[in-house]
């Protein structure tokens, strides 16, 4: 009996020793980045950079899946159960809404530099080659027989930036006369034949389906249109006044904890601020936060007078409630 017990103990010790000596198997990790419409190309390239970095650091293989759509619609999808590990959306309000449901830390903006916005952009116009309608500024968009393409502010974060840029222009033009500002916005949207759910849908409507005289869109999207669909077909017009857009990123902690991806998800977002990532950001038409990289690509990013969501509109909480909530000014002014 004693001999049998001793043999059993020796066998158990041997098994433990072999287990300890075997190298840990590299893990295969999958993340989901839920993003807004025009970031497909940016994150497709950044994901490759990050996957190589993470593999070299840990030996693990990480695959990043992407989900794209109108920013507001994407935020609602995460709240309704879309298993995002990270969100990279168009406006901070949409992330705040997700945070209010307990999926993201209420202090998410403090977790990364620049209020968790690793790049910025602005709103510009894309017109047909030669600019046949002579569109130079926002007030050209309310002229008769000018057909405007812009997404739906109820579902698209980019569309909300478009709307606020137009509102800010009218506020300056009419010295904050609210009645005249509202007339301006109402007339502008009368010239919009269709409201797509997101910015990329509006690009398709304008650039591929041939609808409209002017597309109101992200600066990065305008560069994509020229690069992929042809400088011989379109021109980009910078209005006299636009808005500083700051698309934020955040960790969906509740999901990442459940998936066991907390560490890699944090690294994914932090690495967006690396110089290599900032180069990719600039390449895809977004304005990098890294000033040396921004300077390197200065020819891509003309200087323009920019409004601020905080200074000019009191922050996203106030702007959302006033303009885009049910019964807000957009609902009042958009009549079809």
């Amino acid at each position: 009996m004693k001999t049998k017990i001793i043999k059993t103990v020796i066998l158990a010790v041997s098994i433990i020793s072999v287990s300890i000596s075997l190298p840990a198997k590299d893990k295969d990790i999958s993340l989901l980045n839920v993003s807004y419409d025009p970031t497909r190309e940016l994150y497709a390239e950044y994901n490759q950079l990050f996957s190589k970095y993470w593999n070299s650091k840990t030996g693990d293989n990480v695959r990043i899946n992407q989900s794209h759509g109108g920013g507001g619609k994407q935020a609602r999808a995460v709240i309704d159960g879309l298993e995002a590990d990270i969100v990279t959306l168009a406006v901070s309000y949409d992330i705040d809404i997700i945070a209010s449901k307990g999926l993201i830390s209420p202090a998410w903006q403090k977790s990364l530099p620049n209020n968790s916005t690793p790049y910025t952009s602005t709103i510009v116009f894309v017109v047909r080659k030669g600019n046949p309608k002579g569109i130079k500024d926002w007030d050209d968009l309310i002229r008769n027989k000018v057909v405007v393409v812009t997404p739906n502010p109820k579902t698209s974060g980019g569309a909300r930036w478009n709307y606020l840029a137009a509102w800010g222009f009218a506020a300056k033009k009419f010295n904050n006369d609210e009645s005249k500002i509202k007339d301006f916005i109402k007339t502008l949207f009368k010239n919009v034949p269709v409201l797509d759910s997101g910015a990329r849908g509006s690009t398709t409507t304008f650039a591929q389906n041939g609808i409209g005289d002017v597309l109101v869109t992200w600066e990065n999207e305008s560069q994509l249109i020229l690069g992929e669909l042809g400088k011989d077909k379109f021109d980009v017009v910078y209005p006299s006044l636009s808005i500083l857009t700051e698309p934020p990123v955040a960790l969906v902690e509740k999901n990442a904890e459940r998936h066991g991806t907390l560490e890699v998800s944090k690294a994914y977002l932090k690495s967006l601020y690396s110089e290599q990532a900032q180069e990719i950001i600039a390449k895809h038409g977004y304005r990098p936060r890294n000033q040396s990289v921004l300077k390197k690509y200065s020819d891509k990013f003309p200087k323009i007078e920019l409004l601020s969501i905080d200074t000019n509109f009191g922050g996203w909480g106030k702007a959302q409630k006033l303009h885009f909530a049910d019964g807000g000014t957009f609902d009042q002014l958009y009549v079809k």
Side-chain angles (χ1 to χ4, degrees), residues 48-298:
Q48 295 178 34
L49 174 70
F50 179 77
S51 294
K52 290 178 182 176
Y53 158 74
W54 193 251
N55 180 261
S56 68
K57 179 181 179 181
T58 67
D60 295 338
N61 302 309
V62 58
R63 177 181 178 181
I64 302 97
N65 298 307
Q66 298 176 216
S67 171
H68 297 273
K73 189 176 180 181
Q74 291 290 81
R76 284 190 287 275
V78 173
I79 291 169
D80 291 341
L82 183 59
E83 292 281 324
D85 298 279
I86 48 201
V87 288
T88 56
L89 296 177
V91 301
S92 61
Y93 176 83
D94 290 335
I95 296 181
D96 284 336
I97 289 296
I98 302 172
S100 74
K101 304 301 180 181
L103 297 172
I104 293 174
S105 166
W108 64 270
Q109 283 188 305
K110 296 179 180 179
S111 63
L112 291 165
N114 309 110
N115 291 322
S116 293
T117 57
Y119 45 83
T120 69
S121 190
T122 190
I123 302 302
V124 301
F125 307 150
V126 180
V127 297
R128 308 291 170 189
K129 189 64 182 178
N131 196 3
K133 291 292 180 77
I135 294 165
K136 297 179 180 179
D137 217 337
W138 292 96
D139 45 7
D140 293 316
L141 274 54
I142 67 170
R143 291 179 359 222
N144 289 333
K145 298 183 179 180
V146 170
V147 179
V148 180
V149 177
T150 184
N152 189 342
K154 306 291 279 191
T155 56
S156 166
R160 279 173 273 173
W161 288 116
N162 294 354
Y163 174 102
L164 293 176
W167 184 284
F169 172 86
K172 182 177 180 180
K173 181 180 179 71
F174 300 117
N175 197 27
N176 292 313
D177 185 318
E178 189 167 312
S179 177
K180 291 181 179 179
I181 297 170
K182 288 182 176 179
D183 284 343
F184 182 93
I185 298 296
K186 187 173 184 178
T187 304
L188 191 160
F189 276 93
K190 280 183 179 179
N191 286 349
V192 180
V194 58
L195 291 174
D196 292 292
S197 63
R200 186 54 59 86
S202 287
T203 293
T204 300
T205 294
F206 177 79
Q208 296 183 328
N209 298 341
I211 297 173
D213 301 302
V214 55
L215 171 67
V216 184
T217 191
W218 298 89
E219 179 180 44
N220 54 279
E221 190 76 351
S222 74
Q223 294 187 15
L224 179 74
I225 291 170
L226 263 62
E228 293 199 356
L229 300 177
K231 293 182 180 179
D232 58 330
K233 296 179 181 178
F234 306 101
D235 290 327
V236 176
V237 174
Y238 280 77
S240 64
L241 176 71
S242 193
I243 192 165
L244 175 66
T245 63
E246 298 179 288
V249 303
L251 172 69
V252 188
E253 289 169 312
K254 202 79 170 180
N255 292 345
E257 285 175 355
R258 187 167 63 253
H259 300 161
T261 60
L262 203 58
E263 182 184 3
V264 64
S265 296
K266 286 180 179 178
Y268 181 88
L269 295 179
K270 185 178 180 180
S271 294
L272 282 166
Y273 293 84
S274 70
E275 187 167 347
Q276 282 181 292
Q278 292 282 295
E279 288 271 355
I280 291 172
I281 283 165
K283 174 184 172 182
H284 287 279
Y286 298 83
R287 300 187 179 212
R289 288 294 192 179
N290 184 305
Q291 292 303 300
S292 62
V293 176
L294 178 61
K295 186 177 180 180
K296 182 177 175 181
Y297 290 88
S298 59

Side-chain angles (χ1 to χ4, degrees), residues 31-35 39-45 47 64-68 74 268:
L31 301 181
L32 177 58
N33 175 7
V34 173
S35 195
T39 60
R40 290 171 175 83
E41 296 77 14
L42 164 63
Y43 282 110
E45 184 168 354
N47 291 346
I64 302 97
N65 298 307
Q66 298 176 216
S67 171
H68 297 273
Q74 291 290 81
Y268 181 88

